[in-house]
């Protein structure tokens, strides 16, 4: 069949205007909440927001229309023309328009979202999209197999609705493992994150394995042999995928460090997402000035690197004496870079330290870098920080600030130790 004739005769062409109109209506009205997260120039964040909302729709369209095409072939007896064309060729031709429509449901909104967020596609984002497109093909094959086996018209809505609900409801189940087999990744994709190879392989193994088993039923061999091989393949893929995800929590494993970074300076070397690179020169200068102020106060403030915390939002890494993790992007946006760096200069040997001494230390170090009000503003959000507590803190630290440098440093070291001594006593 000629390509143009194939497209004109496909059910995908007839439903495409309605489906795409509904998809873009949903994109314009309900997808905004997921796209409000700042992608920091990382396209996987944007693509993931689209996929988590539209993947069940694409799967339902792919499987439902594939079942319809299979029924149509069965009614016309074309499916039995094995001597002229192989069943795989016939199936591939009928499924091509259906798969293209399912792909458009995902790719067009993803492209619009990338343009809207002014994010350039990068390899992690393309990996997520390619992953979803492969799953669409697998769902189409399974739907086609269902339509081939069951000729009743009811198979079409049953297949489509079942596919939609099985994927969409998986995230609401009390047990976590079903969601990891659908291709929907729970939890937003943060900057630099990407599902691990195992997290990508598990749904692919189940979907592609099941589709492969269905396709084996059309092989020109004995019914017993193809049925046995297909059954073994389906069970093996189901067991293999479950064995990968059986002990995972609600958010599957993710690797980090895939986002593009911008780094500048030496001792410390400042690193943050490339999308925020315009701030790096100002941050480098402000960090250097702040560290010099802290060293003049007697603190050990000589980090080799300062990395923005947005690089490890889900899996934060504690700062060390050499490598500090500081919310630089937040600091640049709120004018609190000096305060954020000053906090990192304080090292308690316990976690968490006692509240009273810790507040005094943080207020003192914030005062040293000229951002005492920033710290007081943060404390004002804590319910136990009353006006009386504020006045007491200001008076106590004010007395310390009037002492000599050596006396202030002695007080600082004693108060840091006291914070952990009180913590041990409370324990």
């Amino acid at each position: 069949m000629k390509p143009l004739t194939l497209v004109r005769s496909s059910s995908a062409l007839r439903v495409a205007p309605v489906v795409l109109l509904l998809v873009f209506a949903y994109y314009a009205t309900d997808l905004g909440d997921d796209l409000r997260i700042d992608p920091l120039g990382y396209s996987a964040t944007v693509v993931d927001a689209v996929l988590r909302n539209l993947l069940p729709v694409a799967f339902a369209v792919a499987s439902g229309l594939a079942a319809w095409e299979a029924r149509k072939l069965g009614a016309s007896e074309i499916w039995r023309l094995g001597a002229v064309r192989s069943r795989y060729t016939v199936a591939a031709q009928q499924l091509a328009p259906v798969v293209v429509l399912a792909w458009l449901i995902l790719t067009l909104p993803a492209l619009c979202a990338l343009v809207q967020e002014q994010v350039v596609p990068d390899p992690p984002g393309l990996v997520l999209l390619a992953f979803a497109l492969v799953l669409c093909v697998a769902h189409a094959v399974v739907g086609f197999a269902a339509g081939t086996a069951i000729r009743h018209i009811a198979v079409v809505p049953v297949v489509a609705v079942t596919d939609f609900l099985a994927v969409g409801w998986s995230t609401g189940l009390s047990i976590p493992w079903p969601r990891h087999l659908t291709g929907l990744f729970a939890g937003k994709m943060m900057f630099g994150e990407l599902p691990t190879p195992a997290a990508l392989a598990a749904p692919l193994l189940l979907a592609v394995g099941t589709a492969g088993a269905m396709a084996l039923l059309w092989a020109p061999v004995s019914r017993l042999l193809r049925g046995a091989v297909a059954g073994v393949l389906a069970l093996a893929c189901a067991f293999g995928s479950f064995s990968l995800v059986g002990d995972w929590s609600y958010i599957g494993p993710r690797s980090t460090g895939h986002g593009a970074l911008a780094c500048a300076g030496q001792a410390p070397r400042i690193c943050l997402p490339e999308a925020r690179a315009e701030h790096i020169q100002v941050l480098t200068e402000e960090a250097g000035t702040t560290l010099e102020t802290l060293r003049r106060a007697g603190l050990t403030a000589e980090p080799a690197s300062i990395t923005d915390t947005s690089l490890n939002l889900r899996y934060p890494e504690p700062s060390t004496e050499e490598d500090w993790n500081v919310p630089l992007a937040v600091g640049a946006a709120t004018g609190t870079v000096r305060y954020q760096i000053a906090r990192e200069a304080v090292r308690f040997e316990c976690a968490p330290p006692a509240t009273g001494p810790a507040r005094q230390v943080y207020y003192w170090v914030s005062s040293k870098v000229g951002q005492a009000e920033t710290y007081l503003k943060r404390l004002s959000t804590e319910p136990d920080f009353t006006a009386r507590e504020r006045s007491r803190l200001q008076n106590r630290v004010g007395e310390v600030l009037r002492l000599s440098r050596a006396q202030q440093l002695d007080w600082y070291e004693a108060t840091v130790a006291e914070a952990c001594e009180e913590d041990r006593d409370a324990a």
Side-chain angles (χ1 to χ4, degrees):
M1 187 180 296
K2 295 181 179 179
L4 186 59
T5 304
L6 180 65
V7 171
R8 287 190 303 194
S9 64
S10 175
S11 58
L13 181 63
R14 293 172 175 80
V15 304
V18 176
V19 169
L20 293 178
L21 181 61
L22 291 175
V23 165
F24 278 104
Y26 177 75
Y27 174 89
T29 56
D30 290 343
L31 201 58
D33 289 341
D34 283 301
L35 290 176
R36 285 195 182 98
I37 183 174
D38 188 353
L40 296 173
Y42 187 57
S43 72
T45 300
V46 180
V47 172
D48 173 68
V50 174
L51 295 183
R52 282 188 291 107
N53 284 273
L54 295 179
L55 210 54
V57 178
F59 290 168
V61 169
S63 59
L65 293 183
W68 178 273
E69 292 298 314
R71 283 192 66 259
K72 188 168 63 175
L73 286 180
S76 62
E77 298 297 325
I78 295 177
W79 186 242
R80 299 182 181 277
L81 300 178
V84 180
R85 290 180 296 172
S86 74
R87 289 185 171 185
Y88 297 111
T89 301
V90 174
Q93 289 180 341
Q94 294 300 125
L95 287 177
V98 172
V99 169
V100 169
L101 176 58
W103 285 359
L104 290 176
I105 292 172
L106 300 178
T107 55
L108 291 180
L111 180 61
C112 290
L114 290 170
V115 172
Q116 175 183 325
E117 299 298 319
Q118 300 181 0
V119 175
V120 178
D122 53 22
L126 297 177
V127 166
L128 285 182
L129 186 57
F131 163 81
L133 300 185
V134 172
L135 288 180
C136 286
V137 177
H139 281 256
V141 172
V142 173
F144 189 87
T148 301
I150 306 172
R151 301 293 178 82
H152 197 278
I153 185 62
V155 71
V156 177
V158 168
V159 166
V161 172
T162 300
D163 204 354
F164 179 85
L165 295 181
V167 176
W169 281 5
S170 64
T171 57
L173 298 177
S174 59
I175 52 176
W177 65 262
R179 71 180 61 194
H180 303 305
L181 299 180
T182 61
L184 286 179
F185 300 111
K188 295 179 180 180
M189 204 69 62
M190 301 299 185
F191 177 80
E193 287 187 349
L194 196 64
T196 62
L200 294 171
L204 284 175
L205 182 61
L206 180 63
V208 176
T210 303
M214 296 293 187
L216 283 176
L217 296 177
W218 310 329
V221 296
S222 69
R223 180 176 298 179
L224 180 61
L225 177 60
R226 68 194 184 196
V229 174
V232 170
L233 177 61
L235 289 175
C237 290
F239 177 78
S241 57
F242 174 77
S243 65
L244 287 173
V245 307
D247 59 349
W248 291 356
S249 61
Y250 288 95
I251 296 180
R254 295 182 183 177
S255 56
T256 57
H258 301 283
L261 305 182
C263 296
Q266 295 292 334
R269 184 170 180 78
I270 307 295
C271 292
L272 66 162
E274 196 173 67
R276 300 290 181 266
E278 69 271 14
H279 302 300
I280 200 164
Q281 187 59 41
V282 173
L283 288 173
T284 301
E285 294 174 359
E286 195 157 11
T289 302
T290 304
L291 293 174
E292 180 59 31
T293 300
L294 293 172
R295 286 193 288 266
R296 285 200 303 267
L299 301 185
T300 303
E302 298 180 353
S305 67
I306 300 179
T307 303
D308 185 31
T309 52
S310 60
L311 274 61
N312 299 283
L313 285 175
R314 193 182 306 279
Y315 307 111
E317 297 180 0
S319 296
T320 66
E321 291 186 5
E322 292 293 322
D323 302 300
W324 292 8
N325 294 298
V326 179
L328 294 173
V330 173
T334 59
T336 61
V337 173
R338 286 174 292 156
Y339 164 72
Q340 302 292 357
I341 293 176
R343 282 185 63 93
E344 288 301 317
V346 180
R347 288 285 181 268
F348 293 104
E349 295 183 358
C350 58
T355 301
R359 283 177 174 174
Q360 292 183 28
V361 169
Y362 283 133
Y363 184 55
W364 176 80
V365 79
S366 300
S367 301
K368 283 296 183 180
V369 297
Q371 295 210 306
E373 287 301 318
T374 299
Y375 182 59
L376 290 176
K377 184 178 180 180
R378 193 195 73 79
L379 284 181
S380 65
T381 62
E382 299 183 9
D384 68 327
F385 190 68
T386 61
R388 182 178 180 180
E389 288 295 325
R390 177 190 177 106
S391 178
R392 183 183 300 173
L393 176 64
Q394 289 178 306
N395 291 336
R396 175 67 184 114
V397 176
E399 294 174 358
V400 174
L401 291 172
R402 289 191 288 271
L403 300 176
S404 66
R405 175 181 179 276
Q407 290 174 317
Q408 289 187 47
L409 188 57
D410 290 341
W411 170 88
Y412 167 82
E413 293 174 349
T415 308
V416 167
E418 179 188 351
C420 289
E421 287 173 3
E422 289 190 13
D423 184 64
R424 284 193 294 270
D425 293 339

